[in-house]
């Protein structure tokens, strides 16, 4: 395309274009010089403070470089010169010195950048690389970056396997990361080189102690788990021996199918996290839920003794001595009028509970199944339209 | 085995037991020697001829690894005889040979390192020899040899071609010598501490035996007891753990135990080797010699571990009974009268000593009879 156009352009046209380009360039240059003049003018108006400030940032007078701000052009130029060294070892060495300078001032992130640049120089000097990695590891360590620090220690040792500082730092990192076995391993490596190193001897001792403490805590937790499980199994056996059915559990006389998790899915209904428990007299106490479908209200009995009768609880909750619940506007909820039912969820059928029954007697009913470890009952006031309608739903 | 005429043997074989001899003849000669070392009689015969012993030693440096390995094996066999050990250590052609052997054993790339460990283990078994080797080691300019042995033993990757388990036996033998123990228990280094985890080293019974024997030997130095029991070494739980079983204790008893013994799993098993168990008991017993040591051992609820172990040991090896009873007596007994707190410093009248010895022997007989009765049941 370009060739075609060039070919089609006449000499006259070309001449015109050249003239235009010349003119544009002249205009640009004159504009530039004007601007430069304008810029130069305010020099005279600068006060002494400003000049001093400017001088302070000049590389010849600079006392300290603020790396958080962009560098002055002069300084940047010098920096480039400094690191433009052809020899990678000299370059790495220069970065190392800078890194050490920043490290001493505890400016660890800047020190890390310097060491990184030094590493990037790819010097063939193994010792120097080991030092660069070890120093970067030290800076990372002081920032709490133990994992990065540890990795640098590992690399430093690849360059120089017996670099003591790298091994010591690596051991310290392991300890901070709570890898006590590894810590002891690194300590032993350090002691091969310096058997009397007090830092390492002390570190090894405390790592050994902490490891043993951690191991004990683990064993303790496991022992507790074991104990809990044994108690759960015992409880489930008692429940089974009573002839009570738990939903999801096969009625296996061998007790092999016992799964303690059957009892643990209670959190939803159970703010107190109460669970069925066995008292010293071998009596079960169940958390029990009463549902009042008419008002979608519930009552929760944390420990319903299996030997107590339903009527006892109804008396306590709805008896003449107790103020009626606020939602019972019509006063239908009395021990006499309340009817208790339980639901067979598979067949979707309701079965009536005799109020004189004990909880145990009810739970032993063939069709009764405990769901979520919490026996649940529906309570309806008799002789109300709600009762008739509610019961109708189960008839179909 | 036929009678050997040693002079004849020396005359016929001596010339071939030499590194400069022809390969095939050397091989035949060392094969023959190796065969002889298999019998007690043969060992004794060979031991009489220093030139033959020197010949065998010279072949350990043969270029053929086959021949050198056979030469080492012959030496290992020879060193099961106490007389031979002394002779091997004092061959006139090979001064301080034990240092050379030790160096090969500790050479981290030597393929015969395990054979050398076995040889050193045998050679250092008689106390006289242990004494001599220990002196050589302690006098040698490479003064780190003892700690280097510990390092090599404790580092599973020290020599890829060898396990060095027998080094534990060498350490145990050498630790009969007080100066060796002083090096093992250098308070400014971490040496004996490294051996501690190997009390539970399931892979090797030899290693476990050697390490526990070493620790037991160290437990005889009363002046180190406070250090051994203190946090620098914390030796008690290491000695107790192999004796602990899966028994559960109530919370109170549990919390008084050293942390390493708390909440042990239900499948925790005891040390399977009876002799190791006995040495552990004896080491703990030694640590009870002084008043501070005793009260520390008692305060760590050592008794309940030993009580359960005792019940168990009765069903396993009744011959450990006296050692256990000695310890239990101290653990539950009253403190001795003032002035007699250091049990080792108490002078026992000879007549009483005799009486105790006899009682111990009678007890032992009774126990063994009981044991037998149980077996026939």
């Amino acid at each position: 395309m370009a060739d075609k156009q060039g070919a089609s352009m006449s000499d006259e046209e070309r001449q015109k274009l050249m003239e235009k380009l010349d003119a544009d360039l002249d205009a640009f240059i004159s504009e530039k010089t004007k601007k430069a003049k304008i810029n130069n003018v305010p020099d005279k108006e600068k006060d002494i403070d400003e000049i001093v400030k400017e001088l302070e940032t000049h590389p010849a007078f600079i006392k300290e470089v603020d790396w958080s701000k962009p560098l002055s052009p002069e300084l940047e130029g010098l920096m480039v010169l400094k690191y433009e060294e052809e020899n990678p070892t000299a370059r790495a060495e220069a970065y190392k010195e800078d890194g050490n300078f920043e490290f001493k001032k505890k400016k660890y992130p800047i020190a890390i950048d310097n060491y990184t640049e030094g590493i990037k120089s790819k010097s063939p000097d193994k010792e120097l690389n080991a030092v660069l990695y070890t120093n970067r590891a030290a800076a990372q360590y002081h920032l709490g970056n133990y994992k990065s620090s540890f990795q640098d220690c590992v690399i430093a040792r690849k360059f120089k396997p017996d670099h003591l500082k790298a091994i010591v730092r690596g051991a310290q990192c392991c300890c901070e990361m709570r890898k006590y076995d590894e810590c002891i391993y690194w300590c032993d490596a350090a002691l091969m080189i310096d058997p009397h190193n007090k830092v390492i001897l002390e570190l090894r001792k405390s790592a050994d102690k902490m490891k043993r403490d951690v191991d004990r805590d683990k064993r303790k937790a496991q022992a507790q788990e074991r104990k809990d499980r044994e108690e759960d199994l015992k409880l489930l056996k008692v429940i089974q021996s009573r002839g009570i059915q738990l939903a999801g559990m096969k009625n296996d006389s061998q007790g092999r199918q016992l799964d303690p998790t059957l009892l643990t899915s209670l959190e939803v209904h159970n703010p107190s996290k109460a669970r069925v428990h066995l008292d010293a007299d071998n009596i079960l106490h169940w958390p029990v839920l009463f549902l009042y479908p008419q008002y979608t209200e519930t009552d929760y009995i944390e420990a319903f003794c299996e030997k107590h009768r339903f009527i006892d609880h109804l008396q306590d909750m709805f008896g003449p001595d107790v103020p009626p619940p606020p939602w019972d506007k019509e006063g239908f909820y009395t021990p006499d009028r309340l009817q208790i039912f339980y639901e067979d969820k598979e067949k979707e059928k309701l079965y009536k509970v005799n109020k004189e029954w004990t909880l145990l007697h009810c739970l032993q009913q063939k069709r009764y199944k405990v769901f979520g470890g919490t026996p649940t009952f529906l309570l309806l006031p008799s002789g109300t339209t709600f009762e008739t309608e509610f019961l109708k739903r189960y008839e179909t | 085995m036929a009678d050997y005429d040693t002079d004849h043997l020396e005359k016929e074989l001596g010339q071939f037991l030499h590194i400069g001899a022809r390969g095939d003849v050397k091989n035949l000669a060392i094969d023959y020697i190796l065969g002889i070392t298999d019998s007690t009689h043969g060992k004794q015969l060979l031991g009489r001829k220093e030139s033959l012993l020197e010949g065998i030693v010279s072949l350990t440096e043969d270029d053929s690894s086959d021949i050198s390995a056979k030469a080492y094996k012959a030496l290992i066999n020879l060193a099961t005889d106490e007389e031979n050990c002394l002779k091997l250590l004092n061959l006139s052609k090979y001064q301080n040979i034990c240092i050379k052997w030790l160096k090969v054993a500790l050479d981290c790339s030597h393929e015969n390192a395990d054979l050398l460990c076995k040889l050193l283990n045998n050679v250092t078994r008689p106390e006289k020899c242990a004494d001599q080797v220990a002196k050589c080691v302690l006098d040698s300019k490479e003064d780190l040899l003892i700690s280097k042995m510990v390092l090599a033993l404790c580092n599973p990757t020290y020599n890829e071609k060898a396990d060095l388990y027998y080094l534990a036996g060498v350490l145990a033998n050498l630790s009969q010598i007080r100066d060796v123990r002083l090096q093992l228990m250098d308070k400014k280094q971490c040496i004996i501490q490294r051996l501690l985890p190997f009390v539970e080293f399931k892979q090797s019974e030899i290693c476990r035996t050697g390490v526990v024997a070493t620790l037991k030997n160290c437990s005889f130095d009363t002046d180190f007891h406070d250090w051994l029991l203190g946090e620098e070494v914390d030796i008690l739980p290491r000695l107790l753990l192999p004796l602990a079983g899966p028994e559960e204790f109530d919370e109170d008893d549990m919390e008084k135990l050293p942390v390493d013994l708390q909440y042990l799993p239900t499948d925790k098993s005891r040390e399977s080797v009876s002799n190791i168990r006995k040495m552990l008991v004896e080491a703990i017993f030694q640590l009870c010699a002084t008043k501070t040591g005793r009260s520390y051992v008692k305060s760590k609820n050592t008794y309940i571990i030993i009580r359960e172990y005792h019940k168990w040991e009765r069903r396993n090896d009744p011959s450990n009974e006296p050692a256990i009873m000695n310890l239990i007596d101290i653990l539950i007994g009253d403190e001795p009268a003032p002035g007699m707190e250091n049990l080792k410093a108490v002078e026992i009248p000879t007549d009483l000593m005799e009486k105790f010895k006899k009682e111990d022997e009678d007890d032992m007989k009774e126990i063994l009879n009981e044991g037998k009765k149980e077996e026939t049941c």
Side-chain angles (χ1 to χ4, degrees), chain A residues 238-257:
Chain A
V238 170
I239 292 170
Q240 266 204 329
S241 71
R242 297 267 203 282
I244 299 168
Q245 304 172 65
L246 294 179
M249 183 169 78
K250 284 176 194 158
N251 221 348
D252 181 356
S253 57
Q254 302 286 314
R256 261 175 291 153
Q257 300 285 329

Side-chain angles (χ1 to χ4, degrees), chain B residues 108-171:
Chain B
C108 54
S109 59
H110 207 290
E111 55 184 354
N112 283 335
D114 267 339
L115 290 177
L116 262 303
C117 290
K118 275 189 197 172
L119 175 57
L120 284 163
N121 183 30
N122 284 352
V123 151
T124 53
R125 197 167 290 138
E127 203 179 333
K128 253 192 231 164
C129 299
D131 202 33
Q132 194 189 331
V133 172
K135 274 202 184 97
C136 276
V137 168
L138 296 168
D139 291 344
S140 81
K141 276 163 196 131
E142 287 141 283
D143 54 356
L144 286 171
L145 277 180
I146 293 286
S147 61
K148 206 171 170 198
M149 281 166 74
V150 175
L151 290 182
L153 177 66
C154 298
N155 181 355
T157 57
Y158 184 83
N159 183 342
E160 302 287 350
K161 294 169 196 158
D163 296 323
L164 308 181
Y165 294 151
Y166 280 90
L167 211 46
V170 183
L171 269 179

Side-chain angles (χ1 to χ4, degrees), chain A residues 191-192 205 212 216 219, chain B residues 232 234 259-260 262-263:
Chain A
L191 291 174
M192 290 275 262
K205 195 173 91 190
R212 287 152 64 193
R216 184 205 75 136
R219 289 196 305 269
Chain B
E232 290 294 331
D234 199 11
V259 288
D260 311 65
Q262 292 179 12
Y263 304 102

